[in-house]
């Protein structure tokens, strides 16, 4: 195994990104790690993203934090856009 994708970041995005950095630096024995947090759609997450503006803000924040992608499980078309 040379690469894993952490979909949902079970331990949290911050933890996954820290492990990703440690793996890349050779500080731990691990494959390359790609972090893909779940998109917090209001359909699955109470209090989740409810507007296109909130969606853009959330995507910008996880991208700035270092996420490699996003796992979408569904959202209204206006939010997905």
């Amino acid at each position: 195994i040379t690469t894993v994708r952490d979909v949902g970041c079970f331990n949290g995005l911050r933890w996954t990104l820290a492990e990703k950095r440690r793996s890349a630096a050779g500080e731990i024995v691990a494959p390359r790690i790609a972090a893909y947090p779940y998109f917090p759609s209001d359909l699955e997450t109470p209090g989740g993203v409810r507007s296109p503006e909130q969606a853009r803000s959330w995507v910008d924040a996880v991208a700035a934090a270092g996420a490699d992608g996003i796992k979408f499980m569904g959202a209204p078309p206006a939010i997905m856009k």
Side-chain angles (χ1 to χ4, degrees):
I1 298 173
T2 60
T3 304
V4 296
R5 181 170 62 165
D6 185 13
V7 177
C9 301
F10 181 75
N11 290 314
L13 181 59
R14 191 174 304 149
W15 179 88
T16 300
L17 294 173
E19 293 301 291
K20 176 183 174 177
R21 285 188 288 276
R22 292 178 64 210
S23 174
E27 296 172 5
I28 59 174
V29 177
R32 287 182 301 273
I33 299 171
Y36 278 67
Y38 279 114
F39 181 76
S41 169
D42 194 40
L43 299 175
E44 292 90 23
T45 308
V49 170
R50 296 180 182 185
S51 71
E53 294 78 20
Q54 286 180 322
R56 281 190 287 278
S57 178
W58 185 86
V59 168
D60 289 345
V62 297
D68 297 293
I70 299 166
K71 177 65 176 180
F72 285 98
M73 296 297 287
I79 290 176
M80 292 290 288
K81 183 178 176 184

